[in-house]
């Protein structure tokens, strides 16, 4: 199968936003909604607007997903309790498909440069030094999925720590031991339960289903020509499959869907919601800095610019410097955060 390569180009100004892919009617080829307990926003009441599901195809170790967090956090803040939001872990680094690099040091050097290039667009923090390219996304994806059983707040904090393992620490959580260690000390987390659940057959089967779902992309992403450094055309995998580029958001109602692939401005996602469910999205007012840190526990520079208003940082914030701007941690999280421990 031929996959359209992604053209290079300058980022689209956030004020304009790229044109969205066409709205398509819902079809049998789409993955069926599967609610994950405690992992998604609540579905709408029966007397509200039509239900909307958001499927986020992602990977804990994906740099474009890390760089999309300001837009995604803002979007979730505009839709609390009004959508069903679920993550599908697509397995970016797949040890079942990828061959070991012939020269790991050279691959790491190239990938570090690649992350720096991505950072010129996203402005997201990146580690001072990358120890290696991740060998596998399976361990971090299993831990992220297992954390959902402990509630949405714990799941968010665990996923955040897994992302920070590579983009703040430079030590990708690509083994079971590293993934569990990277989330140690997350307030409220039961680490023993997390380890048991992450090793369970049910969690592995759930992530396996995510991986398969991500390899059944909707037709609109096979040819994407948008002015973005990461337009999001479907990717051919080393194993010969085709999957969504990461991240991709699929928005759908019972009657139609809209897909927004790749790295896009907030306005592109907002327009997709508005097209399918007019009036559903309600922009959240920026939070005071202390309240924002209390809610999100970890904030980057790009995130705090869209989520907060007022003198920054709050006096109790713990600053962690990276090669591209700081990350600010809530003191309760910083107490056991590996970036502070080390």
């Amino acid at each position: 199968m031929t996959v359209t390569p992604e053209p290079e180009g300058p980022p689209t100004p956030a004020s304009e936003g790229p044109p969205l892919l066409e709205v398509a009617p819902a079809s049998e080829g789409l993955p069926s909604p599967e609610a994950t307990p405690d992992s998604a926003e609540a579905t709408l009441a029966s007397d509200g607007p039509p239900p909307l599901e958001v499927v986020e195809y992602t990977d804990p170790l994906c740099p474009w997903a890390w760089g999309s967090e300001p837009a995604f956090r803002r979007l979730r803040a505009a839709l609390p309790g009004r959508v069903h939001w679920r993550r599908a872990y697509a397995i970016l680094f797949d040890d079942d498909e990828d061959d070991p690099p012939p020269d790991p040091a050279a691959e790491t050097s190239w990938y570090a440069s690649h992350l720096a290039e991505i950072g010129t667009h996203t402005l997201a923090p990146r580690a001072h030094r990358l120890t290696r390219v991740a060998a596998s996304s399976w361990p971090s994806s299993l831990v992220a999925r297992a954390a959902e059983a402990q509630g949405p707040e714990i799941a968010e904090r665990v996923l955040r720590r897994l992302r920070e393992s590579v983009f703040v620490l430079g030590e990708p959580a690509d083994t079971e031991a590293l993934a569990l260690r990277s989330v140690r000390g997350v307030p409220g987390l039961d680490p023993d339960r997390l380890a048991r659940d992450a090793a369970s057959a049910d969690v592995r089967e759930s992530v396996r289903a995510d991986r398969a779902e991500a390899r059944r992309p909707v037709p609109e992403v096979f040819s994407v020509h948008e002015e973005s450094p990461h337009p999001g055309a479907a990717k051919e995998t080393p194993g010969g499959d085709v999957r969504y580029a990461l991240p991709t958001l699929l928005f759908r109602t019972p009657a139609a869907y809209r897909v927004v692939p790749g790295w896009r401005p907030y306005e592109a996602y907002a327009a997709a919601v508005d097209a399918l469910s007019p009036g559903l999205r309600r922009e959240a007012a920026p939070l005071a800095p202390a309240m924002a840190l209390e809610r999100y526990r970890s904030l980057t520079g790009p995130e705090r610019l869209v989520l907060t208003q007022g003198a920054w940082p709050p006096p109790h914030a713990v600053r962690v410097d990276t090669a591209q701007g700081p990350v600010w941690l809530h003191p309760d999280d910083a107490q056991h955060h590996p970036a502070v421990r080390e």
Side-chain angles (χ1 to χ4, degrees):
M1 184 178 293
T2 302
V3 180
T4 305
E6 296 186 352
E8 293 293 325
T12 303
S15 60
E16 299 177 2
L20 293 170
L21 300 183
E22 292 296 321
V23 174
S27 69
E28 295 180 0
L30 283 174
S32 60
E34 296 177 359
T36 304
D38 298 322
S39 66
E41 296 288 352
T43 304
L44 294 162
S46 59
D47 59 347
L52 176 68
E53 182 186 34
V54 184
V55 186
E56 178 187 345
Y57 296 98
T58 190
D59 186 284
L61 309 180
C62 172
W64 288 109
W66 169 243
S68 296
E69 276 298 282
F72 290 177
R73 282 182 157 185
R74 181 181 173 187
L75 185 64
R76 288 193 291 269
L79 298 168
R82 294 190 289 278
V83 302
H84 175 81
W85 187 303
R86 116 182 127 83
R87 292 190 175 97
Y89 293 106
I91 309 298
L92 176 62
F93 298 98
D94 197 336
D95 44 353
D96 291 337
E97 295 182 333
D98 300 332
D99 295 326
D103 186 341
E107 183 188 48
T108 300
S109 177
W110 172 84
Y111 193 63
S113 297
H114 180 56
L115 295 182
E117 170 61 22
I118 291 173
T120 65
H121 303 290
T122 67
L123 304 181
R126 59 183 174 85
H128 288 289
R129 176 179 174 270
L130 182 68
T131 60
R132 66 187 179 284
V133 179
S136 175
S137 292
W138 274 99
S140 59
S141 297
L142 292 169
V143 167
R145 174 52 44 78
E148 293 174 0
Q150 299 191 39
E153 290 188 5
I154 296 296
E156 288 293 328
R157 294 176 189 179
V158 164
L159 178 57
R160 181 69 173 207
R161 283 279 193 93
L162 294 167
R163 294 198 194 282
E164 290 171 346
S165 73
V166 60
F167 303 115
V168 176
L169 297 173
E171 176 83 6
D174 59 355
T175 68
E176 179 184 4
L178 286 173
L180 293 172
R181 189 178 76 183
S182 69
V183 303
R184 190 173 62 203
V186 167
L189 176 70
D190 181 339
D192 294 332
R193 180 185 179 187
L194 182 71
R196 288 194 306 271
D197 289 348
S200 71
D202 286 347
V203 166
R204 178 167 287 274
E205 183 55 35
S206 175
V207 175
R208 193 183 303 278
D210 283 358
R211 179 186 179 278
E213 179 183 327
R215 283 156 177 76
R216 298 191 300 269
V218 296
E220 290 84 355
V221 300
F222 282 92
S223 181
V224 181
H225 304 285
E226 304 295 349
E227 292 296 324
S228 167
H230 180 47
K235 300 283 189 179
E236 190 166 359
T237 72
D241 294 324
V242 177
R243 65 158 172 81
Y244 285 109
L246 305 179
T248 288
L249 293 192
L250 177 66
F251 302 85
R252 62 186 177 191
T253 67
Y257 67 88
R258 183 165 282 204
V259 62
V260 185
W263 184 70
R264 304 295 181 90
Y266 172 79
E267 287 76 11
Y269 306 110
V273 172
D274 295 347
L276 293 173
S277 298
L280 179 65
R281 181 177 59 88
R282 300 171 191 166
E283 281 300 310
L287 297 174
M291 292 181 62
L293 198 61
E294 181 70 28
R295 175 174 177 179
Y296 293 105
R297 319 299 285 191
S298 169
L299 284 163
T300 66
E303 288 170 334
R304 69 98 173 171
L305 289 174
V306 300
L307 298 171
T308 76
Q309 188 174 60
W312 187 269
H316 61 291
V318 178
R319 176 177 175 138
V320 176
D321 288 307
T322 76
Q324 184 161 283
V327 176
W328 287 276
L329 304 176
H330 188 283
D332 291 348
D333 290 69
Q335 185 177 1
H336 300 288
H337 196 288
V340 178
R341 289 199 306 261
E342 298 174 6

